[in-house]
Short mmCIF file of all heavy atoms in Angstrom, two decimals:
data_model
loop_
_atom_site.label_atom_id
_atom_site.label_comp_id
_atom_site.label_asym_id
_atom_site.label_seq_id
_atom_site.Cartn_x
_atom_site.Cartn_y
_atom_site.Cartn_z
N LEU N 1111 75.59 -112.05 -1.99
CA LEU N 1111 75.35 -111.14 -3.15
C LEU N 1111 76.62 -111.33 -4.12
O LEU N 1111 76.41 -111.44 -5.35
CB LEU N 1111 75.31 -109.74 -2.70
CG LEU N 1111 74.02 -109.24 -2.02
CD1 LEU N 1111 74.17 -107.78 -1.55
CD2 LEU N 1111 72.71 -109.43 -2.81
N THR N 1112 77.77 -111.43 -3.54
CA THR N 1112 79.04 -111.60 -4.39
C THR N 1112 78.88 -112.96 -5.11
O THR N 1112 79.16 -113.07 -6.35
CB THR N 1112 80.27 -111.47 -3.55
OG1 THR N 1112 80.26 -110.20 -2.95
CG2 THR N 1112 81.44 -111.66 -4.48
N LYS N 1113 78.61 -113.92 -4.46
CA LYS N 1113 78.59 -115.37 -4.95
C LYS N 1113 77.62 -115.48 -6.13
O LYS N 1113 77.96 -116.14 -7.17
CB LYS N 1113 78.20 -116.30 -3.90
CG LYS N 1113 78.24 -117.74 -4.27
CD LYS N 1113 78.03 -118.69 -3.15
CE LYS N 1113 77.99 -120.15 -3.56
NZ LYS N 1113 77.89 -121.08 -2.43
N TYR N 1114 76.49 -114.89 -6.07
CA TYR N 1114 75.46 -114.93 -7.11
C TYR N 1114 75.43 -113.69 -8.06
O TYR N 1114 74.46 -113.55 -8.79
CB TYR N 1114 74.09 -115.20 -6.57
CG TYR N 1114 73.97 -116.53 -5.88
CD1 TYR N 1114 74.28 -116.76 -4.48
CD2 TYR N 1114 73.71 -117.61 -6.60
CE1 TYR N 1114 74.24 -118.00 -3.98
CE2 TYR N 1114 73.68 -118.91 -6.08
CZ TYR N 1114 73.93 -119.03 -4.67
OH TYR N 1114 73.87 -120.33 -4.22
N GLY N 1115 76.46 -112.91 -7.94
CA GLY N 1115 76.66 -111.78 -8.98
C GLY N 1115 75.53 -110.81 -8.86
O GLY N 1115 75.07 -110.27 -9.92
N ARG N 1116 75.08 -110.42 -7.69
CA ARG N 1116 74.02 -109.55 -7.51
C ARG N 1116 74.49 -108.15 -6.78
O ARG N 1116 75.42 -108.23 -6.02
CB ARG N 1116 72.88 -110.07 -6.79
CG ARG N 1116 72.13 -111.28 -7.45
CD ARG N 1116 70.86 -111.72 -6.68
NE ARG N 1116 70.10 -112.74 -7.49
CZ ARG N 1116 69.21 -112.39 -8.34
NH1 ARG N 1116 68.81 -111.11 -8.48
NH2 ARG N 1116 68.47 -113.26 -9.00
N SER N 1117 73.70 -107.17 -6.97
CA SER N 1117 74.03 -105.84 -6.28
C SER N 1117 72.83 -105.36 -5.52
O SER N 1117 71.75 -105.71 -5.91
CB SER N 1117 74.22 -104.83 -7.43
OG SER N 1117 74.15 -103.53 -6.89
N LYS N 1118 73.06 -104.74 -4.52
CA LYS N 1118 71.94 -104.37 -3.50
C LYS N 1118 70.97 -103.41 -4.26
O LYS N 1118 69.91 -103.14 -3.91
CB LYS N 1118 72.62 -103.68 -2.28
CG LYS N 1118 73.02 -102.27 -2.46
CD LYS N 1118 73.34 -101.66 -1.09
CE LYS N 1118 73.54 -100.18 -1.14
NZ LYS N 1118 73.56 -99.55 0.25
N ASP N 1119 71.60 -102.65 -5.30
CA ASP N 1119 70.67 -101.74 -6.00
C ASP N 1119 69.46 -102.44 -6.74
O ASP N 1119 68.59 -101.70 -7.26
CB ASP N 1119 71.61 -101.03 -6.95
CG ASP N 1119 72.65 -100.08 -6.34
OD1 ASP N 1119 72.48 -99.68 -5.24
OD2 ASP N 1119 73.76 -99.86 -6.99
N GLU N 1120 69.56 -103.81 -6.91
CA GLU N 1120 68.50 -104.51 -7.55
C GLU N 1120 67.23 -104.60 -6.63
O GLU N 1120 66.16 -104.86 -7.17
CB GLU N 1120 68.95 -105.89 -7.86
CG GLU N 1120 70.13 -106.10 -8.79
CD GLU N 1120 70.54 -107.42 -9.04
OE1 GLU N 1120 69.66 -108.37 -8.96
OE2 GLU N 1120 71.81 -107.75 -9.06
N PHE N 1121 67.48 -104.29 -5.37
CA PHE N 1121 66.30 -104.70 -4.43
C PHE N 1121 65.69 -103.43 -3.80
O PHE N 1121 66.47 -102.53 -3.46
CB PHE N 1121 66.89 -105.53 -3.31
CG PHE N 1121 67.63 -106.73 -3.79
CD1 PHE N 1121 68.99 -106.74 -3.97
CD2 PHE N 1121 66.93 -107.88 -4.28
CE1 PHE N 1121 69.63 -107.85 -4.48
CE2 PHE N 1121 67.59 -108.97 -4.66
CZ PHE N 1121 68.94 -109.02 -4.84
N GLU N 1122 64.32 -103.38 -3.76
CA GLU N 1122 63.69 -102.25 -3.29
C GLU N 1122 62.94 -102.49 -1.93
O GLU N 1122 63.06 -101.72 -1.02
CB GLU N 1122 62.60 -101.76 -4.21
CG GLU N 1122 63.23 -101.17 -5.53
CD GLU N 1122 62.22 -100.75 -6.56
OE1 GLU N 1122 61.01 -100.72 -6.19
OE2 GLU N 1122 62.56 -100.33 -7.66
N ASN N 1123 62.17 -103.65 -1.80
CA ASN N 1123 61.54 -103.96 -0.63
C ASN N 1123 61.31 -105.41 -0.58
O ASN N 1123 61.90 -106.23 -1.36
CB ASN N 1123 60.13 -103.23 -0.65
CG ASN N 1123 59.31 -103.56 -1.84
OD1 ASN N 1123 59.04 -104.72 -2.19
ND2 ASN N 1123 58.89 -102.39 -2.68
N LEU N 1124 60.57 -105.97 0.43
CA LEU N 1124 60.50 -107.36 0.82
C LEU N 1124 59.68 -108.14 -0.22
O LEU N 1124 59.80 -109.33 -0.29
CB LEU N 1124 59.80 -107.41 2.14
CG LEU N 1124 60.12 -108.82 2.85
CD1 LEU N 1124 61.51 -109.12 2.98
CD2 LEU N 1124 59.51 -108.66 4.32
N THR N 1125 58.87 -107.46 -1.06
CA THR N 1125 58.07 -108.19 -2.05
C THR N 1125 58.52 -107.97 -3.50
O THR N 1125 57.73 -108.35 -4.48
CB THR N 1125 56.48 -107.85 -1.85
OG1 THR N 1125 56.43 -106.37 -2.14
CG2 THR N 1125 56.10 -108.08 -0.46
N SER N 1126 59.57 -107.37 -3.80
CA SER N 1126 60.02 -107.06 -5.21
C SER N 1126 60.42 -108.48 -5.85
O SER N 1126 60.82 -109.40 -5.13
CB SER N 1126 61.26 -106.10 -5.17
OG SER N 1126 62.32 -106.69 -4.47
N GLN N 1127 60.25 -108.52 -7.12
CA GLN N 1127 60.55 -109.67 -7.85
C GLN N 1127 61.99 -110.14 -7.68
O GLN N 1127 62.23 -111.33 -7.59
CB GLN N 1127 60.07 -109.60 -9.24
CG GLN N 1127 60.15 -110.81 -10.07
CD GLN N 1127 59.28 -111.93 -9.50
OE1 GLN N 1127 58.14 -111.67 -9.34
NE2 GLN N 1127 59.84 -113.09 -9.27
N SER N 1128 62.84 -109.16 -7.85
CA SER N 1128 64.27 -109.49 -7.69
C SER N 1128 64.55 -110.22 -6.45
O SER N 1128 65.39 -111.11 -6.41
CB SER N 1128 65.09 -108.16 -7.83
OG SER N 1128 64.71 -107.28 -6.84
N LEU N 1129 63.98 -109.81 -5.36
CA LEU N 1129 64.22 -110.39 -4.04
C LEU N 1129 63.65 -111.84 -3.97
O LEU N 1129 64.25 -112.77 -3.42
CB LEU N 1129 63.73 -109.71 -2.95
CG LEU N 1129 64.01 -110.14 -1.42
CD1 LEU N 1129 65.49 -109.81 -1.29
CD2 LEU N 1129 63.18 -109.39 -0.44
#
Side-chain angles (χ1 to χ4, degrees):
L1111 289 181
T1112 301
K1113 183 174 181 178
Y1114 290 94
R1116 292 183 174 274
S1117 165
K1118 77 169 194 174
D1119 297 332
E1120 299 175 33
F1121 308 98
E1122 295 179 1
N1123 56 55
L1124 200 52
T1125 59
S1126 62
Q1127 186 60 52
S1128 58
L1129 189 70

